[in-house]
Amino acid sequence: MSSGLRGIKTIRDFDLNGKTVFLRLDLNVPIKNSKITDETRITASLPTINYCLEKGAKLIVASHLGRPKSADDKQFSLEPVALRLTELLDREVVLMEEPSSEGVKHILYGNMKNEIICLENLRFDAGEEANSIELANQWASYTDIYINDAFGACHRAHASIHAMPEVMQKKAGIGFLIEKEIKMLDSLTDSPKKPYIAVLGGSKISDKISVIEKLIDVVDGFIIGGAMAYTFLKAQGVPVGKSLVEADKLKYAKEMIQRMEARNKTMLLPVDHVVAKSFGDVESKRTTTSAVIDDNEIGLDIGPQTIRNFTAALAKASTVFWNGPMGVFENPAFSAGTFAVAKTMSESSGVMIVGGGDSAAAAEASGYASKMTHISTGGGASLEYLQGEKLPGLEILRPRKQSETNLE
Ligand code: ADP
Ligand code: MG
């Protein structure tokens, strides 16, 4: 077992038959006009849900959705999610407006047949974000086993992530999604297969410094694209026009290039770009013939020669971790670099892992998502975990020292 899972029970360790399982999921899906626009997180949760049902558990699912200001913020209701679950599972999913109410017990101890209970958006209760033990005690009053499968929320010490397992003590563990996430992310730092390349992009170096520091000794090389690349180019004295540059990271960028050289490791930067006069001005789009960008232009994607360089290096890698798009991929005019990286990874037989919210969206938009080894659904949590930070939602599930444990 990989180190990240040490001491943590998984759903397989429990006898679920006839037990009430409180399943914390990440059902935080994008919703527009009551329609779910991307149901990846719902489908990703199905294996754990189905396992509970097959094992004869009485199931309560719980999740947050967005950032509601109060319980009256009905646009953040989980109702569309409950309806979709009803369809996908072919069972009635009952949405409980009052998670702490007697209504839940009423259903549980009444003549519950096939139904599943779905608690309304956990963040409608201020106790969730306050990590309220009181709220957790209310949930625990009707729960036999707590399972966390919401990796994307594990970096937050909220009641359903932290207080609840604290109360449940040994009757708490993780689901299949978290188990896979941890195994996959651990495989990136525990003796990954070489050559190992990390592709970094996105908007800012400052967001990624901790990841870079964690990976610099493990990887054989970095490939840098996206807006982040301009700070590296500028640090080497290359003019980058109006492209995004983090002035306070120029020194770091310069030093990092030197550190990679000193280690004899690969450091690939763009040698050409797709530029435009401004973000929205697709008409003025052109490809540069070198790494230099004119004063009145802004770099919005990597160029064709850069794509060839990057994909050639990726095709030879046995392990790739990709975080951060190569350009403003949300605009089709600037998506070629990002999609080329996704395509090359999808064609590889190596371990190909995508992490980060926008990167996962980019992989999805490219059409190659299903061919990746793993796309982390965790967003911020994946990066924090990879950086070696302790996630409150996982740490609370490890065996506690006697002195910290209440007597059972
Ligand atoms: P992730 O969420 O996967 O960690 P980031 O949030 O770091 O990724 O970066 C994603 C954003 O970076 C995207 O919205 C994308 O438009 C932006 N981006 C990429 N390249 C550029 C660029 N050249 N100029 C401006 N923004 C860029
Ligand atoms: Mg992002």
Side-chain angles (χ1 to χ4, degrees):
M1 190 192 272
S2 51
S3 54
L5 290 169
R6 194 184 308 120
I8 297 179
K9 287 190 183 124
T10 83
I11 191 166
R12 281 188 227 88
D13 296 325
F14 298 99
D15 176 9
L16 305 183
N17 192 19
K19 303 278 169 45
T20 302
V21 173
F22 184 103
L23 180 56
R24 175 46 158 114
L25 297 171
D26 181 2
L27 302 174
N28 182 25
V29 291
I31 294 178
K32 264 202 193 112
N33 304 327
S34 306
K35 287 255 166 340
I36 299 166
T37 54
D38 176 3
E39 62 179 28
T40 311
R41 285 181 168 155
I42 299 179
T43 41
S45 302
L46 292 178
T48 303
I49 295 178
N50 281 323
Y51 180 87
C52 291
L53 297 175
E54 278 157 26
K55 294 291 173 186
K58 295 183 187 177
L59 193 55
I60 298 172
V61 298
S63 174
H64 72 285
L65 184 92
R67 294 173 190 276
K69 300 261 174 326
S70 76
D72 300 325
D73 235 347
K74 288 297 174 214
Q75 75 196 82
F76 294 103
S77 168
L78 274 172
E79 192 173 7
V81 175
L83 288 173
R84 186 65 188 129
L85 276 176
T86 301
E87 289 167 7
L88 289 167
L89 297 166
D90 202 15
R91 283 183 193 235
E92 195 187 343
V93 178
V94 188
L95 188 69
M96 298 300 301
E97 303 249 339
E98 280 289 328
S100 51
S101 77
E102 291 301 305
V104 177
K105 287 184 194 169
H106 193 78
I107 295 186
L108 282 174
Y109 308 134
N111 45 1
M112 189 175 185
K113 293 199 182 78
N114 259 333
E115 315 91 303
I116 294 167
I117 294 173
C118 176
L119 301 186
E120 182 52 292
N121 190 347
L122 296 174
R123 288 189 185 167
F124 281 174
D125 190 320
E128 166 67 356
E129 290 183 65
N131 199 19
S132 158
I133 284 282
E134 221 167 79
L135 182 58
N137 274 323
Q138 287 172 357
W139 294 325
S141 70
Y142 51 72
T143 300
D144 296 316
I145 294 157
Y146 163 87
I147 296 292
N148 183 356
D149 213 16
F151 186 63
C154 278
H155 59 320
R156 307 201 190 281
H158 291 173
S160 64
I161 296 292
H162 194 269
M164 181 62 170
E166 190 171 3
V167 170
M168 295 300 296
Q169 302 228 357
K170 288 177 181 165
K171 298 287 171 56
I174 55 170
F176 298 118
L177 201 55
I178 293 193
E179 187 180 20
K180 184 173 181 213
E181 289 274 8
I182 302 295
K183 280 187 178 160
M184 286 294 162
L185 293 173
D186 279 349
S187 76
L188 292 174
T189 47
D190 299 348
S191 46
K193 263 185 87 184
K194 305 249 161 184
Y196 174 12
I197 300 286
V199 189
L200 300 179
S203 31
K204 288 198 199 140
I205 298 185
S206 43
D207 292 347
K208 309 288 160 81
I209 288 181
S210 320
V211 182
I212 294 174
E213 291 304 316
K214 182 75 184 182
L215 295 179
I216 196 163
D217 291 315
V218 196
V219 296
D220 298 298
F222 283 111
I223 288 179
I224 312 269
M228 195 165 140
Y230 309 119
T231 303
F232 281 95
L233 290 173
K234 183 156 186 182
Q236 291 180 305
V238 179
V240 293
K242 291 195 292 178
S243 308
L244 291 184
V245 166
E246 287 164 278
D248 60 336
K249 293 292 168 292
L250 287 168
K251 187 162 166 273
Y252 177 82
K254 198 167 181 175
E255 283 168 6
M256 190 197 148
I257 294 170
Q258 288 163 354
R259 286 160 73 196
M260 291 298 280
E261 268 167 10
R263 288 166 168 79
N264 236 335
K265 292 186 177 188
T266 311
M267 177 82 183
L268 292 184
L269 289 167
V271 293
D272 58 358
H273 318 273
V274 177
V275 299
K277 295 261 170 14
S278 72
F279 270 85
D281 186 2
V282 177
E283 294 289 291
S284 65
K285 169 178 150 171
R286 72 172 187 101
T287 301
T288 63
T289 50
S290 76
V292 175
I293 298 176
D294 288 352
D295 286 351
N296 60 345
E297 288 177 326
I298 170 167
L300 295 168
D301 194 8
I302 54 175
Q305 185 55 46
T306 306
I307 290 181
R308 284 191 284 276
N309 296 351
F310 285 10
T311 54
L314 289 175
K316 283 188 236 147
S318 295
T319 306
V320 173
F321 172 63
W322 175 28
N323 169 250
M326 297 291 99
V328 184
F329 76 97
E330 295 91 342
N331 184 336
F334 308 111
S335 63
T338 300
F339 290 178
V341 165
K343 178 169 191 280
T344 307
M345 287 176 71
S346 76
E347 289 163 355
S348 168
S349 56
V351 175
M352 301 288 131
I353 298 181
V354 184
D358 292 292
S359 309
E364 203 58 57
S366 76
Y368 299 107
S370 64
K371 299 266 172 56
M372 303 290 179
T373 312
H374 182 63
I375 297 183
S376 179
T377 54
S382 337
L383 293 189
E384 284 191 24
Y385 182 79
L386 200 58
Q387 288 158 27
E389 275 166 48
K390 299 217 180 303
L391 305 183
L394 289 184
E395 294 314 309
I396 192 72
L397 292 171
R398 297 189 205 280
R400 279 159 268 176
K401 291 192 201 93
Q402 206 59 49
S403 58
E404 293 170 286
T405 319
N406 299 329
L407 293 175
E408 277 178 87

